[in-house]
Amino acid sequence: MDSYGTAKYQETNPGLFAIATFPFLFAVMFGDIGHGFIIFSAALYMILAERKLARQDLGEIMGQFFL
């Protein structure tokens, strides 16, 4: 906790705040990476399989994604 400096007498220690919020913020960041990877993988598949998908009847929902 040296990045915050040393708390003076009768000041609040920011270390408790950092300890309480770090796991939550790390979980949010890790979830964003996983979600981004899933979307990237789906987009990459659609790009690589573009010709095959263009010949198929995809239905309404998947057809919207492919347009």
Side-chain angles (χ1 to χ4, degrees):
M1 302 306 331
D2 290 334
S3 63
Y4 290 115
T6 306
K8 294 184 175 74
Y9 183 70
Q10 291 187 341
E11 282 187 343
T12 304
N13 185 359
L16 296 175
F17 177 73
I19 289 170
T21 58
F22 178 78
F24 173 72
L25 294 175
F26 181 79
V28 169
M29 175 189 65
F30 189 71
D32 285 345
I33 290 171
H35 188 248
F37 180 73
I38 290 170
I39 291 175
F40 174 76
S41 299
L44 185 63
Y45 170 75
M46 290 178 75
I47 290 169
L48 295 175
E50 181 177 6
R51 290 190 177 131
K52 184 175 80 171
L53 291 172
R55 287 178 275 170
Q56 296 177 358
D57 180 27
L58 302 174
E60 280 186 53
I61 295 175
M62 188 63 180
Q64 290 296 318
F65 287 124
F66 185 64
L67 291 177

Short mmCIF file of all heavy atoms in Angstrom, two decimals:
data_model
loop_
_atom_site.label_atom_id
_atom_site.label_comp_id
_atom_site.label_asym_id
_atom_site.label_seq_id
_atom_site.Cartn_x
_atom_site.Cartn_y
_atom_site.Cartn_z
N MET A 1 0.82 -1.18 0.00
CA MET A 1 0.00 0.00 0.00
C MET A 1 0.87 1.25 0.00
O MET A 1 0.41 2.31 0.35
CB MET A 1 -0.93 0.02 1.20
CG MET A 1 -1.89 -1.15 1.36
SD MET A 1 -3.02 -1.64 0.05
CE MET A 1 -3.44 -0.26 -0.89
N ASP A 2 2.11 1.12 -0.44
CA ASP A 2 2.98 2.29 -0.49
C ASP A 2 2.55 3.29 -1.54
O ASP A 2 2.92 4.46 -1.48
CB ASP A 2 4.42 1.86 -0.76
CG ASP A 2 5.02 1.13 0.43
OD1 ASP A 2 4.56 1.37 1.57
OD2 ASP A 2 5.94 0.31 0.23
N SER A 3 1.77 2.86 -2.52
CA SER A 3 1.34 3.80 -3.56
C SER A 3 0.39 4.87 -3.01
O SER A 3 0.27 5.93 -3.59
CB SER A 3 0.66 3.06 -4.71
OG SER A 3 -0.51 2.42 -4.26
N TYR A 4 -0.28 4.57 -1.91
CA TYR A 4 -1.16 5.54 -1.29
C TYR A 4 -0.42 6.43 -0.30
O TYR A 4 -0.91 7.45 0.11
CB TYR A 4 -2.30 4.85 -0.52
CG TYR A 4 -3.30 4.18 -1.41
CD1 TYR A 4 -3.45 2.81 -1.37
CD2 TYR A 4 -4.10 4.90 -2.27
CE1 TYR A 4 -4.39 2.18 -2.18
CE2 TYR A 4 -5.02 4.29 -3.08
CZ TYR A 4 -5.16 2.93 -3.03
OH TYR A 4 -6.07 2.31 -3.82
N GLY A 5 0.75 6.04 0.11
CA GLY A 5 1.48 6.77 1.15
C GLY A 5 1.08 6.23 2.52
O GLY A 5 0.23 5.36 2.66
N THR A 6 1.71 6.72 3.53
CA THR A 6 1.42 6.29 4.89
C THR A 6 0.37 7.20 5.50
O THR A 6 0.48 8.42 5.40
CB THR A 6 2.70 6.34 5.75
OG1 THR A 6 3.71 5.58 5.08
CG2 THR A 6 2.46 5.76 7.12
N ALA A 7 -0.62 6.60 6.11
CA ALA A 7 -1.69 7.39 6.73
C ALA A 7 -1.15 8.10 7.96
O ALA A 7 -0.42 7.54 8.75
CB ALA A 7 -2.84 6.49 7.11
N LYS A 8 -1.53 9.37 8.10
CA LYS A 8 -1.13 10.14 9.28
C LYS A 8 -2.09 9.82 10.43
O LYS A 8 -3.10 9.16 10.25
CB LYS A 8 -1.15 11.63 8.94
CG LYS A 8 -0.11 12.02 7.91
CD LYS A 8 -0.10 13.51 7.70
CE LYS A 8 1.01 13.93 6.78
NZ LYS A 8 0.83 13.65 5.39
N TYR A 9 -1.79 10.33 11.56
CA TYR A 9 -2.59 10.10 12.75
C TYR A 9 -4.02 10.59 12.51
O TYR A 9 -4.23 11.69 12.01
CB TYR A 9 -1.96 10.80 13.95
CG TYR A 9 -2.68 10.57 15.24
CD1 TYR A 9 -2.66 9.32 15.84
CD2 TYR A 9 -3.40 11.58 15.86
CE1 TYR A 9 -3.33 9.09 17.02
CE2 TYR A 9 -4.07 11.37 17.04
CZ TYR A 9 -4.02 10.12 17.62
OH TYR A 9 -4.69 9.89 18.80
N GLN A 10 -5.01 9.78 12.84
CA GLN A 10 -6.43 10.03 12.70
C GLN A 10 -6.90 10.16 11.24
O GLN A 10 -7.91 10.76 10.96
CB GLN A 10 -6.86 11.26 13.50
CG GLN A 10 -6.78 11.06 14.98
CD GLN A 10 -7.37 12.23 15.74
OE1 GLN A 10 -7.53 13.33 15.22
NE2 GLN A 10 -7.70 11.99 17.00
N GLU A 11 -6.15 9.60 10.29
CA GLU A 11 -6.59 9.51 8.92
C GLU A 11 -7.08 8.09 8.64
O GLU A 11 -6.66 7.15 9.29
CB GLU A 11 -5.46 9.83 7.94
CG GLU A 11 -5.18 11.29 7.79
CD GLU A 11 -4.16 11.55 6.69
OE1 GLU A 11 -3.46 10.63 6.28
OE2 GLU A 11 -4.09 12.71 6.27
N THR A 12 -7.95 7.98 7.68
CA THR A 12 -8.47 6.67 7.32
C THR A 12 -7.43 5.93 6.50
O THR A 12 -6.84 6.48 5.57
CB THR A 12 -9.76 6.82 6.49
OG1 THR A 12 -10.68 7.61 7.24
CG2 THR A 12 -10.37 5.49 6.17
N ASN A 13 -7.26 4.66 6.80
CA ASN A 13 -6.32 3.82 6.07
C ASN A 13 -6.98 3.35 4.77
O ASN A 13 -7.99 2.65 4.81
CB ASN A 13 -5.92 2.62 6.94
CG ASN A 13 -4.87 1.78 6.27
OD1 ASN A 13 -4.42 2.05 5.17
ND2 ASN A 13 -4.45 0.72 6.98
N PRO A 14 -6.45 3.72 3.62
CA PRO A 14 -7.07 3.31 2.35
C PRO A 14 -6.86 1.83 2.03
O PRO A 14 -7.47 1.30 1.11
CB PRO A 14 -6.38 4.20 1.32
CG PRO A 14 -5.06 4.51 1.92
CD PRO A 14 -5.30 4.57 3.40
N GLY A 15 -6.02 1.16 2.79
CA GLY A 15 -5.76 -0.25 2.55
C GLY A 15 -7.01 -1.10 2.73
O GLY A 15 -7.23 -2.06 1.97
N LEU A 16 -7.84 -0.78 3.69
CA LEU A 16 -9.07 -1.55 3.91
C LEU A 16 -10.02 -1.42 2.72
O LEU A 16 -10.65 -2.39 2.30
CB LEU A 16 -9.74 -1.09 5.20
CG LEU A 16 -8.95 -1.33 6.48
CD1 LEU A 16 -9.67 -0.71 7.67
CD2 LEU A 16 -8.74 -2.81 6.69
N PHE A 17 -10.11 -0.21 2.16
CA PHE A 17 -10.94 0.00 0.98
C PHE A 17 -10.40 -0.81 -0.20
O PHE A 17 -11.16 -1.44 -0.94
CB PHE A 17 -11.00 1.48 0.65
CG PHE A 17 -11.76 1.79 -0.60
CD1 PHE A 17 -13.15 1.71 -0.61
CD2 PHE A 17 -11.11 2.13 -1.76
CE1 PHE A 17 -13.87 1.98 -1.76
CE2 PHE A 17 -11.82 2.42 -2.92
CZ PHE A 17 -13.20 2.34 -2.91
N ALA A 18 -9.09 -0.80 -0.39
CA ALA A 18 -8.48 -1.53 -1.50
C ALA A 18 -8.67 -3.03 -1.33
O ALA A 18 -8.96 -3.74 -2.31
CB ALA A 18 -7.00 -1.18 -1.60
N ILE A 19 -8.54 -3.54 -0.13
CA ILE A 19 -8.71 -4.97 0.12
C ILE A 19 -10.15 -5.39 -0.14
O ILE A 19 -10.41 -6.47 -0.68
CB ILE A 19 -8.28 -5.31 1.56
CG1 ILE A 19 -6.77 -5.19 1.70
CG2 ILE A 19 -8.74 -6.71 1.95
CD1 ILE A 19 -6.27 -5.27 3.12
N ALA A 20 -11.10 -4.53 0.18
CA ALA A 20 -12.52 -4.87 0.00
C ALA A 20 -12.95 -4.80 -1.45
O ALA A 20 -13.80 -5.58 -1.90
CB ALA A 20 -13.38 -3.95 0.85
N THR A 21 -12.39 -3.88 -2.23
CA THR A 21 -12.86 -3.69 -3.60
C THR A 21 -12.04 -4.43 -4.64
O THR A 21 -12.53 -4.67 -5.75
CB THR A 21 -12.86 -2.19 -3.97
OG1 THR A 21 -11.54 -1.67 -3.81
CG2 THR A 21 -13.84 -1.43 -3.11
N PHE A 22 -10.82 -4.81 -4.36
CA PHE A 22 -9.97 -5.46 -5.36
C PHE A 22 -10.57 -6.74 -5.91
O PHE A 22 -10.59 -6.92 -7.14
CB PHE A 22 -8.57 -5.72 -4.80
CG PHE A 22 -7.69 -6.43 -5.77
CD1 PHE A 22 -7.10 -5.73 -6.81
CD2 PHE A 22 -7.46 -7.79 -5.66
CE1 PHE A 22 -6.29 -6.38 -7.72
CE2 PHE A 22 -6.66 -8.45 -6.57
CZ PHE A 22 -6.07 -7.74 -7.60
N PRO A 23 -11.07 -7.67 -5.08
CA PRO A 23 -11.64 -8.90 -5.67
C PRO A 23 -12.82 -8.64 -6.60
O PRO A 23 -12.95 -9.27 -7.65
CB PRO A 23 -12.08 -9.72 -4.45
CG PRO A 23 -11.28 -9.19 -3.33
CD PRO A 23 -11.06 -7.74 -3.63
N PHE A 24 -13.66 -7.68 -6.26
CA PHE A 24 -14.80 -7.36 -7.12
C PHE A 24 -14.34 -6.79 -8.45
O PHE A 24 -14.79 -7.20 -9.52
CB PHE A 24 -15.74 -6.38 -6.42
CG PHE A 24 -16.84 -5.88 -7.30
CD1 PHE A 24 -17.89 -6.71 -7.65
CD2 PHE A 24 -16.81 -4.60 -7.80
CE1 PHE A 24 -18.90 -6.27 -8.48
CE2 PHE A 24 -17.81 -4.14 -8.64
CZ PHE A 24 -18.86 -4.98 -8.98
N LEU A 25 -13.43 -5.83 -8.41
CA LEU A 25 -12.95 -5.21 -9.64
C LEU A 25 -12.17 -6.20 -10.51
O LEU A 25 -12.26 -6.17 -11.73
CB LEU A 25 -12.10 -3.98 -9.32
CG LEU A 25 -12.87 -2.84 -8.67
CD1 LEU A 25 -11.91 -1.71 -8.29
CD2 LEU A 25 -13.94 -2.31 -9.59
N PHE A 26 -11.43 -7.09 -9.88
CA PHE A 26 -10.72 -8.12 -10.64
C PHE A 26 -11.71 -9.05 -11.32
O PHE A 26 -11.52 -9.44 -12.48
CB PHE A 26 -9.80 -8.92 -9.72
CG PHE A 26 -9.01 -9.97 -10.45
CD1 PHE A 26 -7.89 -9.62 -11.18
CD2 PHE A 26 -9.41 -11.29 -10.41
CE1 PHE A 26 -7.16 -10.58 -11.86
CE2 PHE A 26 -8.69 -12.26 -11.09
CZ PHE A 26 -7.56 -11.90 -11.81
N ALA A 27 -12.79 -9.41 -10.64
CA ALA A 27 -13.80 -10.30 -11.22
C ALA A 27 -14.50 -9.63 -12.41
O ALA A 27 -14.77 -10.28 -13.42
CB ALA A 27 -14.83 -10.69 -10.16
N VAL A 28 -14.77 -8.34 -12.32
CA VAL A 28 -15.38 -7.62 -13.43
C VAL A 28 -14.45 -7.60 -14.62
O VAL A 28 -14.85 -7.85 -15.76
CB VAL A 28 -15.76 -6.18 -13.00
CG1 VAL A 28 -16.16 -5.34 -14.18
CG2 VAL A 28 -16.88 -6.23 -11.98
N MET A 29 -13.17 -7.32 -14.39
CA MET A 29 -12.20 -7.27 -15.47
C MET A 29 -12.04 -8.64 -16.12
O MET A 29 -12.02 -8.77 -17.34
CB MET A 29 -10.84 -6.81 -14.93
CG MET A 29 -9.72 -6.84 -15.94
SD MET A 29 -8.12 -6.54 -15.20
CE MET A 29 -7.94 -7.96 -14.15
N PHE A 30 -11.96 -9.69 -15.33
CA PHE A 30 -11.78 -11.04 -15.86
C PHE A 30 -13.00 -11.46 -16.66
O PHE A 30 -12.87 -12.09 -17.72
CB PHE A 30 -11.52 -12.01 -14.70
CG PHE A 30 -11.11 -13.37 -15.16
CD1 PHE A 30 -9.86 -13.58 -15.72
CD2 PHE A 30 -11.97 -14.44 -15.05
CE1 PHE A 30 -9.48 -14.82 -16.15
CE2 PHE A 30 -11.60 -15.70 -15.47
CZ PHE A 30 -10.34 -15.88 -16.02
N GLY A 31 -14.19 -11.10 -16.21
CA GLY A 31 -15.41 -11.42 -16.95
C GLY A 31 -15.47 -10.71 -18.28
O GLY A 31 -15.93 -11.26 -19.28
N ASP A 32 -14.99 -9.47 -18.34
CA ASP A 32 -14.97 -8.72 -19.60
C ASP A 32 -14.04 -9.38 -20.61
O ASP A 32 -14.34 -9.45 -21.79
CB ASP A 32 -14.53 -7.29 -19.37
CG ASP A 32 -15.63 -6.44 -18.75
OD1 ASP A 32 -16.78 -6.88 -18.76
OD2 ASP A 32 -15.31 -5.36 -18.24
N ILE A 33 -12.91 -9.89 -20.13
CA ILE A 33 -11.97 -10.56 -21.04
C ILE A 33 -12.61 -11.82 -21.61
O ILE A 33 -12.53 -12.07 -22.81
CB ILE A 33 -10.66 -10.89 -20.30
CG1 ILE A 33 -9.89 -9.62 -19.99
CG2 ILE A 33 -9.79 -11.83 -21.13
CD1 ILE A 33 -8.70 -9.83 -19.10
N GLY A 34 -13.26 -12.60 -20.77
CA GLY A 34 -13.91 -13.82 -21.24
C GLY A 34 -15.04 -13.54 -22.21
O GLY A 34 -15.19 -14.21 -23.24
N HIS A 35 -15.85 -12.54 -21.91
CA HIS A 35 -16.97 -12.18 -22.77
C HIS A 35 -16.45 -11.67 -24.11
O HIS A 35 -16.99 -12.02 -25.17
CB HIS A 35 -17.83 -11.12 -22.09
CG HIS A 35 -19.09 -10.82 -22.80
ND1 HIS A 35 -19.30 -9.61 -23.40
CD2 HIS A 35 -20.19 -11.56 -23.04
CE1 HIS A 35 -20.49 -9.62 -23.98
NE2 HIS A 35 -21.05 -10.80 -23.77
N GLY A 36 -15.42 -10.86 -24.09
CA GLY A 36 -14.83 -10.36 -25.32
C GLY A 36 -14.25 -11.48 -26.17
O GLY A 36 -14.36 -11.45 -27.40
N PHE A 37 -13.64 -12.47 -25.53
CA PHE A 37 -13.09 -13.60 -26.27
C PHE A 37 -14.18 -14.41 -26.94
O PHE A 37 -14.03 -14.85 -28.09
CB PHE A 37 -12.26 -14.50 -25.34
CG PHE A 37 -11.67 -15.67 -26.04
CD1 PHE A 37 -10.59 -15.52 -26.90
CD2 PHE A 37 -12.19 -16.94 -25.85
CE1 PHE A 37 -10.04 -16.61 -27.56
CE2 PHE A 37 -11.66 -18.03 -26.50
CZ PHE A 37 -10.57 -17.87 -27.36
N ILE A 38 -15.30 -14.61 -26.28
CA ILE A 38 -16.42 -15.36 -26.86
C ILE A 38 -16.99 -14.62 -28.08
O ILE A 38 -17.23 -15.22 -29.13
CB ILE A 38 -17.51 -15.61 -25.81
CG1 ILE A 38 -17.02 -16.61 -24.77
CG2 ILE A 38 -18.80 -16.12 -26.46
CD1 ILE A 38 -17.92 -16.74 -23.56
N ILE A 39 -17.18 -13.31 -27.96
CA ILE A 39 -17.70 -12.53 -29.08
C ILE A 39 -16.70 -12.52 -30.23
O ILE A 39 -17.08 -12.67 -31.40
CB ILE A 39 -18.05 -11.10 -28.62
CG1 ILE A 39 -19.25 -11.14 -27.69
CG2 ILE A 39 -18.32 -10.20 -29.81
CD1 ILE A 39 -19.60 -9.81 -27.08
N PHE A 40 -15.42 -12.36 -29.92
CA PHE A 40 -14.39 -12.39 -30.95
C PHE A 40 -14.36 -13.74 -31.67
O PHE A 40 -14.25 -13.78 -32.90
CB PHE A 40 -13.01 -12.09 -30.34
CG PHE A 40 -11.88 -12.25 -31.31
CD1 PHE A 40 -11.64 -11.28 -32.26
CD2 PHE A 40 -11.06 -13.35 -31.26
CE1 PHE A 40 -10.60 -11.41 -33.16
CE2 PHE A 40 -10.02 -13.51 -32.15
CZ PHE A 40 -9.79 -12.53 -33.11
N SER A 41 -14.48 -14.83 -30.93
CA SER A 41 -14.47 -16.16 -31.53
C SER A 41 -15.67 -16.36 -32.46
O SER A 41 -15.53 -16.91 -33.56
CB SER A 41 -14.48 -17.24 -30.45
OG SER A 41 -13.34 -17.13 -29.66
N ALA A 42 -16.85 -15.91 -32.04
CA ALA A 42 -18.05 -16.04 -32.87
C ALA A 42 -17.90 -15.20 -34.15
O ALA A 42 -18.25 -15.66 -35.24
CB ALA A 42 -19.28 -15.61 -32.09
N ALA A 43 -17.37 -13.99 -34.04
CA ALA A 43 -17.18 -13.14 -35.21
C ALA A 43 -16.15 -13.74 -36.16
O ALA A 43 -16.34 -13.73 -37.38
CB ALA A 43 -16.75 -11.74 -34.78
N LEU A 44 -15.08 -14.28 -35.61
CA LEU A 44 -14.05 -14.90 -36.45
C LEU A 44 -14.60 -16.11 -37.19
O LEU A 44 -14.32 -16.29 -38.38
CB LEU A 44 -12.84 -15.29 -35.59
CG LEU A 44 -11.64 -15.84 -36.34
CD1 LEU A 44 -11.07 -14.76 -37.26
CD2 LEU A 44 -10.58 -16.29 -35.34
N TYR A 45 -15.41 -16.91 -36.52
CA TYR A 45 -16.04 -18.06 -37.18
C TYR A 45 -16.93 -17.61 -38.32
O TYR A 45 -16.90 -18.19 -39.42
CB TYR A 45 -16.85 -18.88 -36.17
CG TYR A 45 -17.70 -19.92 -36.86
CD1 TYR A 45 -17.12 -21.07 -37.37
CD2 TYR A 45 -19.06 -19.74 -37.02
CE1 TYR A 45 -17.89 -22.02 -38.02
CE2 TYR A 45 -19.84 -20.67 -37.68
CZ TYR A 45 -19.25 -21.82 -38.16
OH TYR A 45 -20.01 -22.74 -38.82
N MET A 46 -17.72 -16.57 -38.10
CA MET A 46 -18.61 -16.10 -39.16
C MET A 46 -17.84 -15.53 -40.34
O MET A 46 -18.25 -15.67 -41.49
CB MET A 46 -19.59 -15.06 -38.59
CG MET A 46 -20.61 -15.66 -37.65
SD MET A 46 -21.70 -14.46 -36.94
CE MET A 46 -22.75 -14.13 -38.34
N ILE A 47 -16.69 -14.90 -40.08
CA ILE A 47 -15.87 -14.38 -41.18
C ILE A 47 -15.27 -15.53 -41.97
O ILE A 47 -15.28 -15.53 -43.21
CB ILE A 47 -14.77 -13.45 -40.63
CG1 ILE A 47 -15.40 -12.16 -40.11
CG2 ILE A 47 -13.72 -13.15 -41.69
CD1 ILE A 47 -14.45 -11.28 -39.32
N LEU A 48 -14.73 -16.53 -41.27
CA LEU A 48 -14.09 -17.65 -41.96
C LEU A 48 -15.09 -18.54 -42.69
O LEU A 48 -14.75 -19.14 -43.72
CB LEU A 48 -13.27 -18.47 -40.96
CG LEU A 48 -12.08 -17.73 -40.33
CD1 LEU A 48 -11.42 -18.59 -39.28
CD2 LEU A 48 -11.09 -17.28 -41.40
N ALA A 49 -16.31 -18.63 -42.19
CA ALA A 49 -17.33 -19.50 -42.79
C ALA A 49 -18.34 -18.70 -43.61
O ALA A 49 -19.46 -19.14 -43.83
CB ALA A 49 -18.03 -20.29 -41.69
N GLU A 50 -17.93 -17.54 -44.11
CA GLU A 50 -18.87 -16.64 -44.79
C GLU A 50 -19.50 -17.28 -46.02
O GLU A 50 -20.71 -17.20 -46.22
CB GLU A 50 -18.15 -15.36 -45.18
CG GLU A 50 -19.05 -14.35 -45.85
CD GLU A 50 -18.32 -13.06 -46.16
OE1 GLU A 50 -17.10 -12.99 -45.94
OE2 GLU A 50 -18.99 -12.13 -46.60
N ARG A 51 -18.72 -17.92 -46.85
CA ARG A 51 -19.27 -18.52 -48.07
C ARG A 51 -20.24 -19.64 -47.76
O ARG A 51 -21.29 -19.77 -48.39
CB ARG A 51 -18.13 -19.02 -48.96
CG ARG A 51 -17.34 -17.88 -49.55
CD ARG A 51 -16.38 -18.36 -50.60
NE ARG A 51 -15.71 -17.21 -51.18
CZ ARG A 51 -14.40 -17.12 -51.33
NH1 ARG A 51 -13.63 -18.12 -50.97
NH2 ARG A 51 -13.87 -16.05 -51.85
N LYS A 52 -19.90 -20.46 -46.80
CA LYS A 52 -20.78 -21.57 -46.42
C LYS A 52 -22.09 -21.05 -45.82
O LYS A 52 -23.16 -21.54 -46.13
CB LYS A 52 -20.07 -22.48 -45.41
CG LYS A 52 -20.87 -23.71 -45.03
CD LYS A 52 -20.08 -24.62 -44.12
CE LYS A 52 -20.15 -24.09 -42.72
NZ LYS A 52 -19.62 -24.98 -41.70
N LEU A 53 -22.00 -20.01 -45.00
CA LEU A 53 -23.20 -19.45 -44.38
C LEU A 53 -24.08 -18.72 -45.39
O LEU A 53 -25.30 -18.68 -45.24
CB LEU A 53 -22.81 -18.49 -43.24
CG LEU A 53 -22.19 -19.14 -42.01
CD1 LEU A 53 -21.68 -18.07 -41.06
CD2 LEU A 53 -23.18 -20.03 -41.31
N ALA A 54 -23.47 -18.15 -46.43
CA ALA A 54 -24.24 -17.42 -47.43
C ALA A 54 -25.15 -18.35 -48.23
O ALA A 54 -26.20 -17.94 -48.71
CB ALA A 54 -23.31 -16.66 -48.36
N ARG A 55 -24.75 -19.61 -48.38
CA ARG A 55 -25.54 -20.56 -49.16
C ARG A 55 -26.68 -21.18 -48.36
O ARG A 55 -27.57 -21.78 -48.93
CB ARG A 55 -24.64 -21.68 -49.69
CG ARG A 55 -23.74 -21.20 -50.82
CD ARG A 55 -22.86 -22.30 -51.28
NE ARG A 55 -21.71 -22.24 -50.37
CZ ARG A 55 -20.76 -23.15 -50.30
NH1 ARG A 55 -20.79 -24.21 -51.03
NH2 ARG A 55 -19.76 -23.01 -49.46
N GLN A 56 -26.65 -21.08 -47.05
CA GLN A 56 -27.64 -21.75 -46.20
C GLN A 56 -28.79 -20.81 -45.86
O GLN A 56 -28.64 -19.60 -45.86
CB GLN A 56 -26.99 -22.21 -44.89
CG GLN A 56 -25.93 -23.26 -45.07
CD GLN A 56 -25.28 -23.60 -43.74
OE1 GLN A 56 -25.61 -23.02 -42.71
NE2 GLN A 56 -24.36 -24.54 -43.76
N ASP A 57 -29.93 -21.43 -45.55
CA ASP A 57 -31.06 -20.67 -45.00
C ASP A 57 -30.88 -20.64 -43.49
O ASP A 57 -31.05 -21.65 -42.81
CB ASP A 57 -32.39 -21.33 -45.37
CG ASP A 57 -33.57 -20.55 -44.82
OD1 ASP A 57 -33.43 -19.33 -44.64
OD2 ASP A 57 -34.62 -21.18 -44.58
N LEU A 58 -30.52 -19.48 -42.96
CA LEU A 58 -30.15 -19.37 -41.56
C LEU A 58 -31.32 -19.07 -40.64
O LEU A 58 -31.18 -19.13 -39.43
CB LEU A 58 -29.08 -18.29 -41.40
CG LEU A 58 -27.80 -18.51 -42.21
CD1 LEU A 58 -26.90 -17.31 -42.08
CD2 LEU A 58 -27.10 -19.77 -41.74
N GLY A 59 -32.45 -18.70 -41.19
CA GLY A 59 -33.57 -18.30 -40.34
C GLY A 59 -33.47 -16.83 -39.99
O GLY A 59 -32.51 -16.15 -40.34
N GLU A 60 -34.47 -16.36 -39.30
CA GLU A 60 -34.53 -14.92 -39.01
C GLU A 60 -33.44 -14.44 -38.06
O GLU A 60 -32.77 -13.45 -38.31
CB GLU A 60 -35.89 -14.57 -38.39
CG GLU A 60 -37.00 -14.44 -39.40
CD GLU A 60 -38.26 -13.94 -38.73
OE1 GLU A 60 -38.19 -12.91 -38.05
OE2 GLU A 60 -39.29 -14.61 -38.88
N ILE A 61 -33.26 -15.15 -36.95
CA ILE A 61 -32.35 -14.65 -35.91
C ILE A 61 -30.90 -14.72 -36.38
O ILE A 61 -30.17 -13.73 -36.33
CB ILE A 61 -32.55 -15.43 -34.61
CG1 ILE A 61 -33.95 -15.16 -34.07
CG2 ILE A 61 -31.49 -15.04 -33.59
CD1 ILE A 61 -34.31 -15.97 -32.86
N MET A 62 -30.46 -15.86 -36.84
CA MET A 62 -29.07 -15.99 -37.29
C MET A 62 -28.84 -15.16 -38.55
O MET A 62 -27.74 -14.63 -38.76
CB MET A 62 -28.75 -17.46 -37.54
CG MET A 62 -27.32 -17.72 -37.82
SD MET A 62 -26.29 -17.29 -36.41
CE MET A 62 -24.71 -17.71 -37.05
N GLY A 63 -29.86 -15.01 -39.39
CA GLY A 63 -29.72 -14.18 -40.58
C GLY A 63 -29.45 -12.73 -40.24
O GLY A 63 -28.70 -12.05 -40.95
N GLN A 64 -30.00 -12.23 -39.16
CA GLN A 64 -29.73 -10.87 -38.71
C GLN A 64 -28.27 -10.69 -38.31
O GLN A 64 -27.66 -9.66 -38.55
CB GLN A 64 -30.65 -10.47 -37.55
CG GLN A 64 -32.09 -10.30 -37.95
CD GLN A 64 -32.26 -9.15 -38.94
OE1 GLN A 64 -31.66 -8.11 -38.80
NE2 GLN A 64 -33.08 -9.38 -39.94
N PHE A 65 -27.71 -11.69 -37.66
CA PHE A 65 -26.30 -11.61 -37.26
C PHE A 65 -25.39 -11.67 -38.47
O PHE A 65 -24.33 -11.05 -38.50
CB PHE A 65 -25.93 -12.76 -36.32
CG PHE A 65 -26.49 -12.61 -34.95
CD1 PHE A 65 -27.29 -13.59 -34.40
CD2 PHE A 65 -26.23 -11.49 -34.18
CE1 PHE A 65 -27.82 -13.47 -33.14
CE2 PHE A 65 -26.74 -11.36 -32.91
CZ PHE A 65 -27.53 -12.34 -32.39
N PHE A 66 -25.78 -12.41 -39.48
CA PHE A 66 -24.92 -12.63 -40.64
C PHE A 66 -24.95 -11.46 -41.62
O PHE A 66 -24.00 -11.28 -42.37
CB PHE A 66 -25.33 -13.92 -41.36
CG PHE A 66 -24.42 -14.26 -42.49
CD1 PHE A 66 -23.09 -14.56 -42.27
CD2 PHE A 66 -24.90 -14.25 -43.78
CE1 PHE A 66 -22.26 -14.87 -43.32
CE2 PHE A 66 -24.07 -14.56 -44.83
CZ PHE A 66 -22.73 -14.87 -44.60
N LEU A 67 -25.99 -10.68 -41.64
CA LEU A 67 -26.07 -9.59 -42.60
C LEU A 67 -24.87 -8.69 -42.43
O LEU A 67 -24.26 -8.14 -43.16
CB LEU A 67 -27.34 -8.76 -42.42
CG LEU A 67 -28.61 -9.48 -42.79
CD1 LEU A 67 -29.81 -8.60 -42.49
CD2 LEU A 67 -28.63 -9.87 -44.24
#
